Amino acid sequence: MDTTLINILCLILLFLGIIGTVLPVLPGLLLSICGLLIYKFGTDSDLSIIYIWVFGILTLVSIVLSYVIPAKTNQKYGGTRWGSIGSIIGTIIGMFFPPIGFLIGMFAGVFIGELLHDTKDMTKAWKSTKGAFIGFIYGTGFSLVVGVAMFLVVVLDMLNVI
């Protein structure tokens, strides 16, 4: 396959990965890491293997944080363990209802978990859900930064800047 076509494919995958960090329809950083791997091993690139390891680790960290951060910010906003567990269960169940089921599932899980803990305190349940939303924004922001960094590393390598 022609190197130019491989480069275009890599850039498309990296760009779709960036979009996927914001839109839950796409697998985000997994597309980006695929683009990075195809670029490294499908071309005659001198890109250091250290980039592959760093971005691979950051991708794994991002996947873990996308579950952990909403649960932790839920607690910071007054949520209980019930809300945190509800967040994780809701996210997992929501994944079976794409494209935004995981997001709705996460928020519904926090809210329902808090109501199961204390059926009379709906205000606390809403605050806890707000915390989960803020956590989701943090996790998405982290993934977006990692995706943009991957894209820039490949583009800069293509231009022989790094």
Side-chain angles (χ1 to χ4, degrees):
M1 187 179 232
D2 184 31
T3 303
T4 306
L5 290 175
I6 293 173
N7 286 343
I8 291 170
L9 173 66
C10 295
L11 291 175
I12 289 171
L13 286 171
L14 287 159
F15 184 72
L16 288 174
I18 292 170
I19 292 171
T21 62
V22 179
L23 295 177
V25 177
L26 299 171
L29 289 182
L30 295 177
L31 285 174
S32 292
I33 202 80
C34 286
L36 183 68
L37 290 170
I38 291 170
Y39 177 72
K40 169 65 179 158
F41 299 111
T43 66
D44 57 350
S45 167
D46 291 331
L47 186 69
S48 173
I49 196 73
I50 292 171
Y51 287 109
I52 304 300
W53 281 103
V54 168
F55 286 126
I57 291 167
L58 289 174
T59 298
L60 290 174
V61 167
S62 173
I63 291 169
V64 170
L65 288 179
S66 68
Y67 293 100
V68 173
I69 289 177
K72 291 297 181 184
T73 53
N74 157 44
Q75 290 176 343
K76 184 178 178 186
Y77 278 79
T80 63
R81 185 172 176 188
W82 287 73
S84 296
I85 293 170
S87 169
I88 293 169
I89 292 171
T91 302
I92 293 169
I93 291 171
M95 286 183 178
F96 294 104
F97 302 98
I100 61 170
F102 86 96
L103 192 59
I104 293 169
M106 176 181 60
F107 298 139
V110 171
F111 189 75
I112 292 168
E114 291 299 335
L115 286 180
L116 287 173
H117 175 67
D118 185 359
T119 58
K120 296 181 179 162
D121 197 355
M122 192 173 286
T123 303
K124 182 178 179 183
W126 281 115
K127 281 179 66 177
S128 182
T129 305
K130 175 183 163 187
F133 176 73
I134 291 170
F136 169 76
I137 297 298
Y138 287 156
T140 300
F142 180 79
S143 296
L144 182 62
V145 168
V146 172
V148 169
M150 276 191 237
F151 184 83
L152 290 175
V153 163
V154 170
V155 168
L156 292 174
D157 190 69
M158 284 179 182
L159 298 173
N160 293 322
V161 176
I162 58 171

